[in-house]
Amino acid sequence: MNFPEKLKYTRDHEWIRIEGETACIGITDYAQGQLGDIVFVDITTEGETMGMEDIFGTIEAVKTVSDLLMPVSGEILEVNPALEEQPELVNQSPYQDGWLVRIKMIETSEVDTLLTASEYKALIGA
């Protein structure tokens, strides 16, 4: 499993990559592996402002549907358009092509409460 050091992680298996005042969010390699084959990503919150840990969408695998939680507060600027036709990108490339949303962060200090790669590895026992 891959856990890029430059990302921050949540206990709910989302990752966030800070890009100035914006950020890119997805689910971890571990999470996509636990879910199995992803068949649908449902995010209808583009343009909305969400709080930390608010549900911003769902991700559906063959056997289950899971909520997607905001790692930090922010306005959802963009949903990955490629996922509409290719939800399997989350399985194939969870940290690059399979990103879920881009946000404008509201409370940048919330990033400090997230896990580092080594803390996330310890959480999942990797």
Side-chain angles (χ1 to χ4, degrees), residues 5-19:
E5 293 290 329
K6 64 184 176 203
L7 304 179
K8 291 288 205 156
Y9 300 86
T10 70
R11 295 186 185 314
D12 298 305
H13 313 292
E14 285 86 16
W15 58 261
I16 184 169
R17 179 174 54 244
I18 308 303
E19 302 167 339

Side-chain angles (χ1 to χ4, degrees), residues 97-116:
D97 299 332
W99 60 274
L100 300 172
V101 295
R102 290 194 193 286
I103 67 166
K104 179 178 182 187
M105 293 185 294
I106 295 172
E107 226 18 85
T108 56
S109 63
E110 290 174 343
V111 172
D112 298 334
T113 68
L114 301 175
L115 304 173
T116 65

Side-chain angles (χ1 to χ4, degrees), residues 1-3 30 117-126:
M1 274 183 275
N2 183 18
F3 304 102
Y30 173 80
S118 59
E119 290 169 332
Y120 182 71
K121 284 184 209 175
L123 173 75
I124 64 168

Side-chain angles (χ1 to χ4, degrees), residues 26-28 31-33 35-43 58-62 64 68 79-100:
I27 65 167
T28 66
Q32 69 79 24
L35 287 169
D37 292 336
I38 294 169
V39 295
F40 188 66
V41 177
D42 185 23
I43 302 171
T58 58
I59 193 162
E60 183 177 338
V62 173
T64 189
L68 297 166
V79 176
N80 185 344
L83 298 181
E84 191 171 324
E85 296 294 322
Q86 295 178 284
E88 67 274 9
L89 288 174
V90 176
N91 293 116
Q92 297 164 0
S93 179
Y95 300 114
Q96 296 299 324
D97 299 332
W99 60 274
L100 300 172

